Amino acid sequence: MQKQAVDTKKYWEALKEVMDPEFPISVVDMGLIYDIQMNDGEVHVTMTYTAVSCACMDWIESDIKNRLLAEEEVKEVHINVVWDPPWTVDRLSPEGREKLKYWGVSAK
Amino acid sequence: MSVMEQGTHSLIELLETIADNKYVLGDRLVEVGVSGPNLEATLSAIAMAQGELGHARLLYNWCFDLKGVKGKKPDIQAQTGKAFQTAVNVQNWISLIASLYAINAAIDIVFQTVLKTSHSKVASRIQKLVREQHDHIIYAENWAKQLLLDQGAVPYRFQEALREAAEEAKAWLAKVEKSEELKKEGYFPETPSFPEKFEKRLQQLNAEQLVQAK
């Protein structure tokens, strides 16, 4: 039986509550999340990091998993880290850009 | 061993050598870099150490995937023994900059060639690393020029350290270039001219002329 794609908007919203440990900006506004798919209780998140050497990878992934698992219908979370397209500041959301500006961090 | 397996084996060998060198560079950037010539140099060295160790982690994890390791990747406790001896022996700022420059310049030449091939999956793994590595090369190159224009014995000592590090890196490039399996798998063209490209890049440093002009 073909799996039905589920609207993932609520998961994008949920991940807006997961903050980057280094800046008070969500992983969504940082532009780290590339794609979210939901099938039969399994959420598949495709994401990247600002740098290959990001020291907070385990921390961020754990926060993402915990937040998504807080949704009743989510039974499993799979995270696929990709490096293409590479993250650049262009991926910041307007909200994320404003927050960085507020904290005096250049996003150019 | 099938042709495919031999190709994978050669790719793992290549990636582990690069990862080992980055692992050792990361370690040396902390150990030696923490007492760099000035505060900016030290802060940059520590930041780059994190970068090099991150690159090593990415490449080791890739090797685990190629080896068929499923689930959580093993912790990396040590290099696999393929790091260049000149990198392992780095004990001061001069040899640190020489190794950082020579090794990353050599790796860059290999990865730039791989990026031009049709291996999109491989390219997608290293794109970000290559961008970040470029910053490390610029840093090392500028420090190299500074050391070559320094006072007393520093320029000569740096020139010697660079010669040693470059010799080892060039020998590795010549060995990599001979890998029929990697060529067969399409990671490199028939004649990638790695040593020649490396030599050309070293010439851009103008080390001999700078030292002679002192």
Side-chain angles (χ1 to χ4, degrees):
Chain A
M1 190 169 65
Q2 196 175 0
K3 290 176 180 174
Q4 290 293 308
V6 177
D7 182 14
T8 57
K9 196 178 168 201
K10 70 179 285 194
Y11 306 121
W12 285 92
E13 286 301 320
L15 291 189
K16 278 205 155 199
E17 294 168 23
V18 176
M19 296 294 144
D20 183 298
E22 291 170 330
F23 293 107
I25 300 174
S26 78
V27 291
V28 173
D29 287 321
M30 278 296 279
L32 302 183
I33 309 299
Y34 284 177
D35 186 44
I36 301 175
Q37 297 288 328
M38 162 63 153
N39 280 311
D40 294 339
E42 291 186 16
V43 179
H44 295 263
V45 179
T46 303
M47 64 174 296
T48 194
Y49 290 99
T50 54
V52 172
S53 57
C54 177
C56 305
M57 286 180 183
D58 290 345
W59 190 351
I60 294 174
E61 285 177 32
S62 166
D63 286 353
I64 288 173
K65 281 184 180 171
N66 288 338
R67 179 59 192 88
L68 292 174
L69 286 168
E71 299 295 320
E72 205 182 339
E73 71 284 7
V74 177
K75 304 296 174 221
E76 275 183 54
V77 177
H78 303 278
I79 296 175
N80 179 31
V81 177
V82 297
W83 300 105
D84 190 26
W87 185 91
T88 67
V89 289
D90 293 338
R91 293 204 55 87
L92 284 162
S93 72
E95 197 182 330
R97 211 170 275 271
E98 276 308 305
K99 281 187 182 167
L100 282 182
K101 196 174 162 187
Y102 175 81
W103 288 103
V105 180
S106 170
K108 286 182 181 169
Chain B
M1 203 186 279
S2 72
V3 173
M4 183 60 189
E5 283 171 334
Q6 283 173 354
T8 305
H9 176 78
S10 298
L11 181 61
I12 290 170
E13 173 88 11
L14 174 75
L15 296 175
E16 277 185 346
T17 306
I18 295 172
D20 278 358
N21 276 300
K22 286 184 166 286
Y23 182 93
V24 170
L25 277 180
D27 174 71
R28 297 290 81 200
L29 277 162
V30 173
E31 288 295 323
V32 175
V34 78
S35 47
N38 56 46
L39 183 61
E40 291 84 356
T42 293
L43 290 174
S44 306
I46 303 302
M48 265 185 298
Q50 191 186 346
E52 292 294 347
L53 292 171
H55 294 170
R57 177 177 56 189
L58 174 85
L59 297 168
Y60 284 130
N61 284 344
W62 186 1
C63 290
F64 289 137
D65 287 342
L66 290 168
K67 288 174 184 174
V69 176
K70 303 282 179 205
K72 195 180 180 321
K73 303 287 187 290
D75 278 343
I76 300 136
Q77 307 282 355
Q79 59 136 328
T80 69
K82 300 183 192 75
F84 299 165
Q85 208 49 49
T86 43
V88 175
N89 292 340
V90 163
Q91 292 295 340
N92 55 52
W93 189 255
I94 287 174
S95 52
L96 175 69
I97 295 300
S99 279
L100 186 66
Y101 179 72
I103 291 172
N104 275 332
I107 294 170
D108 190 54
I109 285 166
V110 174
F111 277 165
Q112 291 290 355
T113 304
V114 175
L115 281 176
K116 285 178 193 152
T117 66
S118 56
H119 279 276
S120 58
K121 278 188 181 172
V122 172
S124 69
R125 291 240 192 190
I126 58 173
Q127 269 208 18
K128 181 78 172 164
L129 181 158
V130 169
R131 280 186 188 208
E132 292 174 2
Q133 184 174 257
H134 182 64
D135 295 339
H136 298 194
I137 294 171
I138 290 174
Y139 176 84
E141 193 174 315
N142 281 301
W143 258 107
K145 285 179 179 165
Q146 208 169 311
L147 292 170
L148 288 165
L149 291 168
D150 209 319
Q151 302 295 314
V154 173
Y156 298 98
R157 285 190 57 200
F158 179 73
Q159 198 184 15
E160 185 56 21
L162 182 63
R163 189 191 58 73
E164 282 176 22
E167 214 169 79
E168 199 172 8
K170 196 174 161 186
W172 171 69
L173 286 172
K175 188 181 155 201
V176 171
E177 183 169 272
K178 283 183 188 152
S179 169
E180 288 304 322
E181 291 84 12
L182 291 173
K183 286 184 208 168
K184 219 176 276 179
E185 292 291 325
Y187 295 113
F188 314 139
E190 195 49 45
T191 318
S193 310
F194 290 147
E196 291 80 4
K197 284 177 185 164
F198 184 63
E199 197 61 51
K200 208 170 167 186
R201 189 172 271 191
L202 282 178
Q203 281 166 7
Q204 286 169 5
L205 257 188
N206 217 6
E208 216 158 297
Q209 283 83 347
L210 285 176
V211 173
Q212 276 173 7
K214 291 287 304 165

